Every structure is written in structure tokens, then in C-alpha cells.
Amino acid sequence: IFYSDRAVFLSAVAPATNIDFEGIAPANSYALIHGNMISGVTFTADSGNLAAMDPGYAPSYYDWGSGATAIGYYYADPIRATLPGGKNAVGADVMVVDYDNGGVAEQMFAIITLLDTTTVTQSITTLAIPGRAFMGFTSDQAIVSIAFYTPDISGGSGPNYYPFAAIDNFVFSTV
């Protein structure tokens, strides 16, 4: 089941673990988190470049009003979260950063991989900064991983509009 409302999602699941990426990046800077396990979840990006961004680093790009965020360094590079076993509920605030225009409203996709290796894809249009959209999912079987990404809408040739996926308040639980 797909949820676009955090409160409705949280009311449908057991008490959830929330990862807010606070305290990872120094003030007004960023820190690489690729391959790090945080509260049992391993975060990666296909490029190997995934960072926690302090909102003070560049407020028009990273200040979503929720503190630090996780962001992929390259366009169309997914932020992948591999969950601990037995979890069948996952969600996050989702945002899009464009290095020409700051935090923008753009299409975001999530690919959920289930225990039986099937995948489910869902999309949502995010909100311009400081707004955050929410994508949450529950399943009748365990969720192995979720990958959040934005498509390369420039076609790889410009104009220099490359959207980058950003997430915050990553939650996981059981139904």
C-alpha cells in the first residue's frame, strides 16, 4: 500500500524507528555516509557518493525546515536503503534539489524490493523548498530495500538541470 501522508502511514504501522540524519555532518557542511549503517539501515548510492547535508551549507538547496538531509551526489543516482530483516513498512520525506534552481518540485520515484525479489515502483511530485512530500509503503511481506531517485530530465545533454534525490525522516517498522 502506498501512502503520501506521514500521519496516516504512522497510524497504520507499529511504533517506527526514525532516522533524521542529524549530527552526521558538521555545521554548514556535509559528510559522506555511503555504506554507513544507521539504526540498522544501510544507506548507499550507486555512484558511491551519498552525503548527509547540513541545511546551513547552502540553505536555498538544503534547508527543508527539518534539519540535515541525505542527498545523492549525481543526478538519477538513487539513494538506496537496505532494511534490517522482517520490516514491512518504510517511508521518508522526499525532496528534489536542482543545482541551478535550488529545491524544486519535481518527480521522484521509489523502487521497493520485496523479500521474494519482486519490485514495486511508485512516483510522486515533490514540493519546492521548504515543502516536503512523503512516500510510505506497507507490504504483506518483508521489504528488503527501497531506492529513491529522480530521472535525468535533461536527457544528459543540458540545459544544466539535473535533479538530485534528497530524503529526510526515514522511517521503518512493521505493520
Side-chain angles (χ1 to χ4, degrees), residues 23-104:
I24 298 170
N28 303 318
S29 190
Y30 64 93
L32 294 178
I33 60 172
H34 176 77
N36 283 4
M37 184 179 285
I38 305 169
S39 297
V41 177
T42 302
F43 291 92
T44 58
D46 291 353
S47 67
N49 294 300
L50 180 64
M53 304 295 290
D54 181 81
Y57 182 69
S60 65
Y61 294 90
Y62 307 116
D63 191 357
W64 298 94
S66 64
T69 58
I71 183 168
Y73 259 41
Y74 297 105
Y75 61 89
D77 191 14
I79 298 172
R80 190 174 321 282
T82 303
L83 302 177
K87 303 303 179 187
N88 62 351
V90 63
D93 292 337
V94 294
M95 300 81 68
V96 174
V97 175
D98 163 28
Y99 281 137
D100 289 333
N101 300 302
V104 296

Side-chain angles (χ1 to χ4, degrees), residues 78-81 90 108-114 118-123 135 137 143-149:
I79 298 172
R80 190 174 321 282
V90 63
M108 168 82 71
F109 290 88
I111 300 173
I112 302 93
T113 302
L114 302 174
T118 60
T119 59
V120 178
T121 302
Q122 180 68 46
S123 68
M135 294 181 87
F137 306 89
I143 298 171
V144 174
S145 67
I146 186 167
F148 298 97
Y149 75 96

